[in-house]
Amino acid sequence: LIVRTHPELQGRDAEEWVAMVPMEMGRYADLLLNVILGILIFYFPGGWTWMLFLGMAGSHLWIYSFDHYRTLRSTPSCTFAAYDIEWWCQALLAPIMAIIPACLVFKSNCEENYPHCTTGMPLISICCAAWLIHAVFHVCCLTFVVPKFGKTPPEEDPCKDETFSSLARRIPVSWFTSNPVHCLRSAHIYGHKPPCSNFELGREKYMRPNPKVGVFYEEACKE
């Protein structure tokens, strides 16, 4: 609708308006925030707890459905280069999940069949101790226990014979092709023929190989 009603949007600008937003890791922050809100609910009287969690479950179902459709149908590409983001997000869950035992200590204070009944700073100290113990235990499990269930790394590197040229023949994006300034320098300063092609997702067919400038990809060579 925006592109149709704005004739000044032409070429690449029009393409960007109708394209899906690139995939990013913002959902991690959304989920962590929702977990915090879900846990903090237990600190308050529980008359509306089930309704709040029902609304949160519906919201998560909508987000999951949207992301499922977006990832499979519209997102042009996803790149997860390392496990670091996943690990740190799991580590950030440690102080968040540690709020649960702290809340349990707080809510069970002076209740029947529970051993403690304190007020003021002693109660705050017990809640903080429960939080700290759980957070440390969580991080220790993530660091020492979880890796034991992972796949054993291969004894021999399957890519040991891979070279830049063989990889660049299959994958169009590299340091050279993803650097617009380098591509302009190749064309207008060094006068390479053909110059280093600038990589744009969906336009790989226009790239021209030139091994002398580090460009080996050609659409016909893609397996």
Side-chain angles (χ1 to χ4, degrees):
L1 180 62
I2 294 176
V3 176
R4 186 176 62 183
T5 56
H6 290 76
E8 69 275 10
L9 293 175
Q10 299 290 329
R12 189 63 177 170
D13 291 335
E15 291 180 0
E16 292 178 352
W17 274 100
V18 298
M20 177 57 72
V21 177
M23 191 68 178
E24 35 81 25
M25 300 292 102
R27 281 290 178 259
Y28 278 113
D30 296 339
L31 295 176
L32 292 175
L33 177 61
N34 287 341
V35 172
I36 294 174
L37 295 176
I39 296 173
L40 292 179
I41 288 173
F42 291 111
Y43 275 96
F44 299 93
W48 299 92
T49 300
W50 70 272
M51 293 187 65
L52 292 171
F53 273 93
L54 185 62
M56 187 174 291
S59 300
H60 277 231
L61 183 62
W62 161 252
I63 292 174
Y64 177 81
S65 302
F66 173 73
D67 283 349
H68 187 271
Y69 174 84
R70 181 180 67 162
T71 303
L72 296 181
R73 303 290 182 182
S74 302
T75 301
S77 67
C78 298
T79 301
F80 306 98
Y83 189 69
D84 294 344
I85 295 178
E86 174 67 22
W87 193 93
W88 281 106
C89 286
Q90 294 294 336
L92 285 174
L93 273 176
I96 296 174
M97 299 302 293
I99 302 175
I100 295 178
C103 179
L104 178 62
V105 171
F106 177 78
K107 298 291 283 188
S108 63
N109 186 52
C110 295
E111 292 287 337
E112 261 188 76
N113 302 321
Y114 285 92
H116 64 285
C117 185
T118 58
T119 59
M121 285 305 299
L123 177 60
I124 296 176
S125 300
I126 296 174
C127 292
C128 292
W131 178 89
L132 182 62
I133 292 171
H134 188 282
V136 172
F137 179 75
H138 188 129
V139 174
C140 289
C141 289
L142 190 63
T143 305
F144 301 107
V145 179
V146 173
K148 294 184 181 298
F149 296 92
K151 292 184 178 180
T152 304
E155 297 180 0
E156 187 175 345
D157 186 2
C159 300
K160 66 175 184 176
D161 297 325
E162 188 81 83
T163 63
F164 174 80
S165 59
S166 63
L167 186 65
R169 283 188 174 90
R170 295 184 288 106
I171 301 178
V173 60
S174 69
W175 184 92
F176 302 104
T177 60
S178 62
N179 190 334
V181 175
H182 175 76
C183 295
L184 290 172
R185 189 185 298 118
S186 172
H188 301 289
I189 296 179
Y190 298 116
H192 294 142
K193 299 295 183 180
C196 181
S197 300
N198 185 38
F199 169 77
E200 290 186 26
L201 188 63
R203 295 173 176 266
E204 298 88 345
K205 64 181 180 180
Y206 297 112
M207 297 179 67
R208 296 294 176 261
N210 186 352
K212 293 182 180 179
V213 297
V215 181
F216 297 86
Y217 182 85
E218 190 173 11
E219 187 73 18
C221 296
K222 186 177 179 181
E223 295 179 0

